[in-house]
Amino acid sequence: MRCIGKFQCGTAHCISSSARCDGHMDCEHGEDELSCVRVSGKSSVLQVRTEGVWRTVCSDDWDPDLGSSYIDSLMNHNKTECSSGKVITLKCLECGSRPQFSTRIVGGNLSQEGQFPWQVSLHIQHKHLCGGSIVTARWILTAAHCVYGFSFPQLWMVLVGLTEQPVNEAEYLPVEKIIYHSRYRPRRLDYDIALLKLVEPLTFNEVPYPTCPAQVEPLMPCGVCCAPGEASMSLHSAQVPLISAKVCSQPEVYQGYISPGMICAGYLEGGTDSCQGDSGGPLGCEGNSVWKLVGATSWGQGCAERNKPGVYTRITHALTWIHRQMEVSTTWWQEL
């Protein structure tokens, strides 16, 4: 279905373009009220879309605690200028740095406290099952196969800043909501990505600290931060190179099973890899002292076998989904 001159609600039907971002959900799933807020230009000026026009948010009478009401009001009025001349600008969340740690990693070493401050351990009924990455104060990114069939928030707890298992007297952070990709299917392992929303936001300091979801993929060796697996009760890290989809899909490797939503990393000769218990953990690449989240540990054949590198969910391929889920499930100013 094509909606010429109109807005398309999913694959179902078309609505008038003027109904987009008018404060009323006209689509069944509310698609018409998404992506209605943006930051613009080098100064990151806050703008909202109304009547097909992007309007700047003024600082006049601005109250962060009433941000939603202010935005709703702006969407329903034709205000185009600020009487004071002052506007609202936003500062993006700093991410990807390691305030407590500056040494570069080497392959296969034990991780030290603060080395990967975005790494978390996901526990189900007080037992480690998977890893994950902090992406905002309220959101943890992991693999869908970790939570598929167990997507009941009350079963899960998130632990941050750990380098050793088991855990004694650690703070367990409760989970409010679990979302996994609607196109994820266990047998195929494509779209293997999920988000966990914490009940209360984290306070960022040296540990915990968020990583930055990659906008583009680097062409450099990456540091994969592995969660404790069956053979190890300590957090390990290793430096592994990215492998092109063409090489990873060769008959002797993964026989064409690598989709656009997957990325491979490791050594074809084997010897260094993620393993059981690492699922959902981050594949991160460092550039200009900033760490980017490139992948989430997904699958592989065995551990560190020849021609069987690790396969990760490609973050650049999932960015739109990540942002959309957080937007749908969050009162927008809580994440600023």
Side-chain angles (χ1 to χ4, degrees):
M1 176 185 291
R2 294 185 62 186
C3 298
I4 300 176
K6 295 186 176 182
F7 179 82
Q8 182 171 333
C9 298
T11 58
H13 65 284
C14 307
I15 62 173
S16 171
S17 295
S18 62
R20 186 182 176 192
C21 300
D22 63 356
H24 303 283
M25 289 193 297
D26 298 289
C27 295
E28 180 182 0
H29 300 293
E31 301 97 317
D32 55 312
E33 297 305 314
L34 297 177
S35 302
C36 297
V37 180
R38 73 177 185 183
V39 290
S40 178
K42 293 182 179 179
S43 299
S44 298
V45 174
L46 181 63
Q47 294 184 324
V48 297
R49 182 185 178 97
T50 175
E51 298 183 343
V53 177
W54 286 103
R55 305 183 190 278
T56 297
V57 177
C58 305
S59 63
D60 308 27
D61 303 320
W62 173 260
D63 183 347
D65 293 331
L66 300 176
S68 179
S69 299
Y70 187 100
I71 296 298
D72 289 343
S73 174
L74 186 56
M75 285 181 173
N76 289 284
H77 291 81
N78 293 322
K79 188 174 182 179
T80 58
E81 296 182 359
C82 304
S83 59
S84 67
K86 296 180 180 179
V87 299
I88 297 296
T89 62
L90 301 180
K91 180 181 179 182
C92 293
L93 175 71
E94 293 183 3
C95 59
S97 64
R98 303 186 292 181
Q100 198 179 60
F101 193 90
S102 59
T103 305
R104 298 183 65 85
I105 68 167
V106 295
N109 276 356
L110 283 171
S111 297
Q112 300 176 31
E113 184 177 354
Q115 187 171 2
F116 299 103
W118 43 83
Q119 170 85 44
V120 303
S121 174
L122 304 183
H123 282 222
I124 185 167
Q125 297 179 334
H126 296 278
K127 292 183 179 180
H128 170 85
L129 184 66
C130 284
S133 303
I134 301 169
V135 290
T136 77
R138 291 287 295 275
W139 291 97
I140 308 297
L141 188 147
T142 188
H145 76 261
C146 289
V147 298
Y148 187 81
F150 301 94
S151 56
F152 304 103
Q154 62 272 21
L155 295 178
W156 293 89
M157 290 289 177
V158 175
L159 285 81
V160 300
L162 295 183
T163 58
E164 298 285 340
Q165 302 272 4
V167 181
N168 295 314
E169 299 181 0
E171 182 181 7
Y172 286 78
L173 304 175
V175 176
E176 177 182 305
K177 188 173 187 177
I178 298 175
I179 307 168
Y180 59 82
H181 203 293
S182 62
R183 297 181 67 180
Y184 170 73
R185 297 294 181 270
R187 292 185 180 180
R188 179 65 176 136
L189 282 182
D190 209 358
Y191 302 97
D192 190 14
I193 190 168
L195 288 165
L196 283 71
K197 185 179 182 182
L198 299 176
V199 171
E200 297 291 339
L202 292 165
T203 299
F204 293 142
N205 42 51
E206 293 181 345
V207 179
Y209 208 79
T211 185
C212 309
Q215 306 291 324
V216 294
E217 285 158 9
L219 299 175
M220 63 182 75
C222 285
V224 57
C225 179
C226 302
E230 292 179 352
S232 174
M233 300 307 291
S234 300
L235 184 66
H236 283 72
S237 61
Q239 194 170 64
V240 291
L242 298 180
I243 300 174
S244 71
K246 180 178 180 180
V247 171
C248 205
S249 294
Q250 291 178 350
E252 66 272 23
V253 188
Y254 283 126
Q255 306 169 352
Y257 282 100
I258 304 303
S259 75
M262 301 174 188
I263 186 169
C264 298
Y267 297 92
L268 294 183
E269 62 267 29
T272 302
D273 196 7
S274 52
C275 203
Q276 287 83 14
D278 301 339
S279 293
L283 172 69
C285 292
E286 185 184 21
N288 298 321
S289 298
V290 175
W291 282 79
K292 304 287 187 179
L293 182 64
V294 173
T297 308
S298 182
W299 62 277
Q301 182 175 318
C303 296
E305 294 183 8
R306 181 177 177 82
N307 283 331
K308 302 303 175 187
V311 184
Y312 304 80
T313 301
R314 188 186 295 266
I315 298 302
T316 55
H317 191 264
L319 269 180
T320 299
W321 180 86
I322 293 169
H323 293 153
R324 180 59 56 88
Q325 303 315 307
M326 291 195 295
E327 182 179 4
V328 169
S329 304
T330 305
T331 303
W332 68 271
W333 69 90
Q334 290 179 344
E335 296 296 333
L336 300 180

